[in-house]
Amino acid sequence: MISALNQLVDLVEEHLTEELDLDGLAAGLGTTEYHLRRMFSSLAGMPLSEYVRRRRMTVAAGDVVRGEEDLLEIAVRHGYGSREAFGRAFRAVHGAGPAEVRRDGGPLRTQPQLRFRLTVEGSTPMDTRLVDRPPFRLVGHSTRVPLIHHGINPHIQQHITAIPPEEHRRLKALGDAEPAGLLQVTDDADPDGREGTELTYLHGVAVGGGTPVPDGLDVIEVPAGMWAVFRTSGPHPEALQTAWAATATEWFPSNPWRLRPGPSIVAILERADDFSTATCELWMPVESA
């Protein structure tokens, strides 16, 4: 995976002024666009699209400062159809427009070319098992929420609080498949993992494919496949979020598996009364790399 990401960075440099065929690039690297985007954003700390934009504007800044070409020529060469569109992208990266930078020589914010290296420190114990599951369903109450990387997501908290206690009990009694118990499910997330983008959150349970689903419940159909299950314990949600990040920085680069599209599931196994600490299982859909 680390080698694939470094090859991706090299390909970005070779095609910096062109539209990237990411699906084709991923296939050439022996992986999938979905997994490549997820791993890049997790390890680089920014979406691939943002990295490409920053690199384009870093190179474009040199052309702007040299002053040998009209700004429209520079804009077109770097993939923009107008000076206005180029100017917006340029200002978003550098904090000033091309004309200002040409006149004043700055300010310029350079995005260096990335290089990925694997350092496995063992700082996060990865208590993991692999599970092959037949098709099942996730049923419960869903809503659309923004992605928040750190701390409690107030939108999810509000959604859960609005569900009556008797409904929690009804859902728990309905569940008859693994993962067991009440589940926190995220689905349809942006592969780049950009904070603030919307995803589907479902509070519910897992049921077998033949289990009747009562009216009024939302359903996510989950196809058969392999799952990597990570067990976490400690302060909540910090321990869970740390383990989630460590899957990208430590587990996936060290193991012959990659993410496949599908929901991510959190099962709460034990928790303190005030939810300050918890033992959880994080289920992530995977396939052979």
Side-chain angles (χ1 to χ4, degrees), residues 152-225:
I152 294 173
N153 188 318
H155 306 278
I156 291 177
Q157 193 174 38
Q158 182 179 12
H159 175 66
I160 296 173
T161 302
I163 300 173
E166 60 271 18
E167 182 63 8
H168 288 274
R169 290 190 289 270
R170 182 175 78 116
L171 286 172
K172 197 167 184 178
L174 180 64
D176 63 3
E178 206 181 11
L182 288 173
L183 308 174
Q184 301 173 353
V185 180
T186 56
D187 193 25
D188 194 28
D190 175 20
D192 283 333
R194 293 173 296 174
E195 190 158 23
T197 54
E198 283 200 336
L199 54 84
T200 296
Y201 173 82
L202 181 138
H203 191 74
V205 294
V207 301
T211 301
V213 177
D215 293 339
L217 295 180
D218 301 308
V219 178
I220 297 175
E221 299 285 351
V222 183

Side-chain angles (χ1 to χ4, degrees), residues 61-146:
D63 297 335
V64 169
V65 171
R66 279 191 292 271
E68 298 171 357
E69 298 173 280
D70 180 84
L71 291 178
L72 181 58
E73 293 179 88
I74 298 172
V76 171
R77 185 166 67 255
H78 289 281
Y80 294 87
S82 67
R83 289 180 55 167
E84 292 73 18
F86 174 69
R88 287 193 295 271
F90 193 94
R91 183 178 291 277
V93 171
H94 296 292
E100 298 168 72
V101 168
R102 172 164 286 184
R103 183 188 66 234
D104 303 329
L108 295 174
R109 295 172 184 162
T110 300
Q111 171 62 60
Q113 184 176 344
L114 290 177
R115 186 57 51 187
F116 293 93
R117 293 180 177 86
L118 175 60
T119 302
V120 180
E121 298 177 347
S123 58
T124 305
M126 304 300 288
D127 183 357
T128 313
R129 60 191 173 101
L130 292 164
V131 180
D132 190 5
R133 292 282 288 113
F136 64 98
R137 290 173 167 179
L138 295 163
V139 301
H141 299 278
S142 69
T143 186
R144 296 287 288 175
V145 300

Side-chain angles (χ1 to χ4, degrees), residues 11-61:
L11 288 168
V12 167
E13 291 300 309
E14 294 170 13
H15 302 279
L16 204 54
T17 60
E18 307 167 20
E19 285 297 317
L20 287 177
D21 174 15
L22 192 54
D23 190 50
L25 295 181
L29 295 173
T31 185
T32 63
E33 178 180 350
Y34 181 85
H35 185 69
L36 203 59
R37 284 187 180 275
R38 289 285 298 270
M39 291 299 101
F40 186 97
S41 62
S42 295
L43 294 174
M46 71 180 90
L48 176 60
S49 57
E50 175 63 15
Y51 172 71
V52 171
R53 183 169 69 99
R54 292 185 187 182
R55 283 297 299 150
R56 281 177 176 168
M57 292 302 101
T58 295
V59 174

Side-chain angles (χ1 to χ4, degrees), residues 250-270:
E250 297 182 24
W251 195 82
F252 279 109
S254 307
N255 289 275
W257 299 93
R258 66 188 178 203
L259 281 169
R260 58 183 171 86
S264 296
I265 306 169
V266 173
I268 308 296
L269 305 182
E270 297 176 357

